[in-house]
Amino acid sequence: MRFDYDDQNIFAKILRGEIPNKTVLETEHTLAFEDIAPQAPVHVLVIPKGAYVSYDHFARDASDAEILDFTRAVARICEEADVEAGFRAISNARAHGVQEVPHFHVHILGGRPLGRMLERG
Ligand code: AMP
């Protein structure tokens, strides 16, 4: 699979400081910020600073250091956010996944019961 990264996507602009964001956590390889249109009381987006399009791209091509940093950042966000009662981590990819922003991100959602994972049908 070939992954073509579009550096004009909105998260690339956030990483370059061209668009503001509400940062929750920043580490060497990872940035986490509030979703602009939250779908739950907790709705944080976690993104790598590297140019990866989707989860499968990141999982295949990111360095061990990037993957470790990203994963530990998710743990810190879950610890610091109000998600002790539970949360959902979602990563949409490409057309069938209805991915809007083509820079890999994980949504961390929580703070209320979230219902079933997918609607049937
Ligand atoms: P996805 O459909 O998985 O690609 O999700 C993209 C998410 O990015 C949506 O939940 C949007 O609300 C969110 N989003 C789009 N623009 C911004 C922005 N400038 N700052 C924060 N979140 C954004």
Side-chain angles (χ1 to χ4, degrees), residues 58-76:
F58 180 74
R60 189 187 73 181
D61 290 351
S63 67
D64 291 0
E66 289 175 301
I67 292 170
L68 184 65
D69 184 280
F70 187 89
T71 305
R72 295 284 196 249
V74 170
R76 281 179 59 188

Side-chain angles (χ1 to χ4, degrees), residues 28-41:
E28 185 181 357
H29 296 296
T30 307
L31 181 69
F33 51 92
E34 305 278 359
D35 195 291
I36 204 166
Q39 295 183 45

Side-chain angles (χ1 to χ4, degrees), residues 11 14 33-37 45 92 98-101 105 107:
F11 295 169
I14 284 176
F33 51 92
E34 305 278 359
D35 195 291
I36 204 166
L45 299 171
N92 301 315
V98 195
Q99 180 179 12
E100 287 171 15
V101 180
H105 51 283
H107 299 254

Side-chain angles (χ1 to χ4, degrees), residues 86-101:
F87 70 95
R88 183 165 296 144
I90 298 174
S91 188
N92 301 315
R94 301 191 284 283
H96 285 188
V98 195
Q99 180 179 12
E100 287 171 15
V101 180

